[in-house]
């Protein structure tokens, strides 16, 4: 019998308890022993809930109990989740987490502590909800040098952009709908400003590169500036707009460019059809070429399934340390100003065409889509080159990068 504890009895924590109870027989066949939730740590009481008699309010009770071998952390936020998780690892207890904030900030330190104490720190559910992506990077793709990871990593923003594309509604209207359906928080800034996706691509990049990628080093733009007019141009070109989190690595893994931003993607791209609250991650390796992982990127039971999968793996490993830490050496992305892209640039219709030609070297000009303006598809330009050209033009309405 394996006795575990769950820290945090919110949406995901309660989902973990439910999933273990729901599929107890199947889980026991996989582990060879029954998994019992002995403690649930939370500040609150849950009268009437079957878990109430297992509620504790002091994390030290869990840390000091020799019967507990695995602790699930689903508290969210950096503190006290980091402090509690570190205490569990130092007590020789494996930790499984869905907490992207902790993994992005302290993943290297937590994994190193797990190795030092002969236990495990697993975090499959921190990226992509129920989509298996962390373990495949470590195992199935171990023969490969990963050269690119690009994904739709936030279900809230994908839902909003899907509504804008399919129904022609504004960003504000789509956001209100997402909040009404429970897809967006009352304060949606972490989603719509891109920081949630940024943390996730930092984690994936760290796994792929074997070094610590600090999420604050990644250039990040959200979707608050995307308009219905942008989607009209996208439709004209047979494209759509998605918030992509992307890292591209050199084959020697010494350099990387990474960004989170809205991109125009062509309809023949596999990510084009990823809509609603779904997530998808595309991984390119120098041996396997291109793979795509698709599924529900959030939600109570999908995320809980990924957590429980890590619990199962940890129980099966017993006293074996299967954690593969990335180095605490920081790998900084290349200078963002040197990244190269093609841009869709929206300009007033009365702009001097000769000046436009000089500044943006357009490959294509779109007119008649939105009254009073035109759009240019530029030749490949560096970010710095675009910024300088836009400054000289002085009348840019908006710009969106093309993914290629």
């Amino acid at each position: 019998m394996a006795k575990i504890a769950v820290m945090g009895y919110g949406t995901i924590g309660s989902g973990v308890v439910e999933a273990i109870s729901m599929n107890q027989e199947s889980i026991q066949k996989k582990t060879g022993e029954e998994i019992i939730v002995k403690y649930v740590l939370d500040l609150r009481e849950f009268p009437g809930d079957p878990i109430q008699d297992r509620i504790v309010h002091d994390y030290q009770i869990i840390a000091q109990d020799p019967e507990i071998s695995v602790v699930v952390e689903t508290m969210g936020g950096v503190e006290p989740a980091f402090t509690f998780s570190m205490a569990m690892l130092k007590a020789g207890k494996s930790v499984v987490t869905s907490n992207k904030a902790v993994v992005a900030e302290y993943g290297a330190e937590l994994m190193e502590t797990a190795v030092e104490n002969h236990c495990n720190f697993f975090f499959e559910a921190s990226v992509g909800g129920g989509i298996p992506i962390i373990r495949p990077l470590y195992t199935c793709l171990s023969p490969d040098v990963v050269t690119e990871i690009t994904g739709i990593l936030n279900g809230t923003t994908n839902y909003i952009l899907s509504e804008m594309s399919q129904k022609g509604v504004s960003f504000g209207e789509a956001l209100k709908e997402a909040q009404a359906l429970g897809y967006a928080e009352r304060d949606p800034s972490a989603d719509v400003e891109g920081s949630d996706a940024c943390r996730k691509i930092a984690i994936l990049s760290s796994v792929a590169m074997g070094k610590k990628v600090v999420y604050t080093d990644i250039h990040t733009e959200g979707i608050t500036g995307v308009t219905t007019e942008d989607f009209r141009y996208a439709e004209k070109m047979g494209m759509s707009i998605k918030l992509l989190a992307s890292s591209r690595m050199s084959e020697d893994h010494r350099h990387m460019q990474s960004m989170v931003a809205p991109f125009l993607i062509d309809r023949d791209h596999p990510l084009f059809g990823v809509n609603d609250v779904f997530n998808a991650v595309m991984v390119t390796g120098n041996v396997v070429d291109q793979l795509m992982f698709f599924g529900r990127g959030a939600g109570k039971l999908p995320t809980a399934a990924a957590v429980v999968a890590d619990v199962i793996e940890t129980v099966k490993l017993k006293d074996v340390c299967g954690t593969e830490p990335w180095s605490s050496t920081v790998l900084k992305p290349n200078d963002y100003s040197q990244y190269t892209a093609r841009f869709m640039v929206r300009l007033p219709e009365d702009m001097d065409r000769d000046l436009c030609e000089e500044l943006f070297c357009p490959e294509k000009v779109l007119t008649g889509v939105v009254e009073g303006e035109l759009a240019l598809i530029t030749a490949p330009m560096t970010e710095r080159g675009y910024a300088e050209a836009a400054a000289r033009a002085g009348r840019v309405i908006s710009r969106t990068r093309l993914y290629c």
Side-chain angles (χ1 to χ4, degrees), residues 202-309:
I203 293 168
L204 293 177
S205 302
S206 296
V207 172
M209 301 290 278
K211 295 181 180 178
K212 183 176 181 177
V213 178
V214 180
Y215 71 93
T216 52
D217 289 337
I218 296 174
H219 179 81
T220 301
E221 300 173 15
I223 65 166
T224 55
V226 179
T227 67
T228 53
E229 288 78 12
D230 293 321
F231 277 102
R232 288 169 64 181
Y233 283 107
E235 184 179 6
K236 177 75 172 180
M237 295 186 290
M239 307 180 86
S240 190
I241 300 172
K242 304 289 185 182
L243 182 73
L244 300 184
S246 181
S247 286
R248 292 178 174 176
M249 301 82 166
S250 61
E251 289 203 7
D252 61 7
H253 269 208
R254 295 177 62 185
H255 304 284
M256 176 185 71
Q257 66 178 46
S258 193
M259 179 186 294
V260 177
F263 281 85
L264 284 154
I265 60 172
D266 196 80
R267 69 171 59 252
D268 62 1
H269 192 281
L271 293 176
F272 179 92
V274 179
N275 294 310
D276 204 68
V277 293
F278 285 88
N279 283 193
V281 185
M282 295 198 64
V283 180
T284 304
N286 67 345
V287 175
V288 76
D289 197 17
Q290 202 168 68
L291 298 173
M292 180 166 160
F293 301 81
F294 169 82
R296 290 193 176 275
K300 179 178 180 176
L301 290 179
T303 305
V307 173
V308 175

Side-chain angles (χ1 to χ4, degrees), residues 298-316:
K300 179 178 180 176
L301 290 179
T303 305
V307 173
V308 175
D310 274 349
V311 172
I312 291 170
E313 184 69 14
T314 304
V315 170
K316 288 166 66 176

Side-chain angles (χ1 to χ4, degrees), residues 6-19 44 72-76 96-100 125-126 129-130 297-308:
V6 176
M7 299 193 298
Y9 196 58
T11 301
I12 307 306
S14 61
V16 169
V17 174
E18 182 180 342
R44 300 163 294 174
V72 173
E73 186 276 296
T74 54
M75 302 172 69
V96 170
T97 186
S98 61
N99 191 334
K100 58 187 168 291
S126 66
K300 179 178 180 176
L301 290 179
T303 305
V307 173
V308 175

Side-chain angles (χ1 to χ4, degrees), residues 97-135:
T97 186
S98 61
N99 191 334
K100 58 187 168 291
V102 164
V103 179
E105 189 82 34
Y106 294 113
E109 293 92 326
L110 289 163
M111 285 185 280
E112 287 171 359
T113 303
V115 172
E116 289 168 4
N117 290 276
H118 310 290
C119 53
N120 288 291
F121 179 73
F122 290 156
F123 48 94
E124 181 65 65
S126 66
V127 178
I131 302 171
I133 182 63
I134 303 293
R135 190 165 285 113

Side-chain angles (χ1 to χ4, degrees), residues 161 168 347 395:
L161 293 175
L347 299 161
R395 300 175 66 192

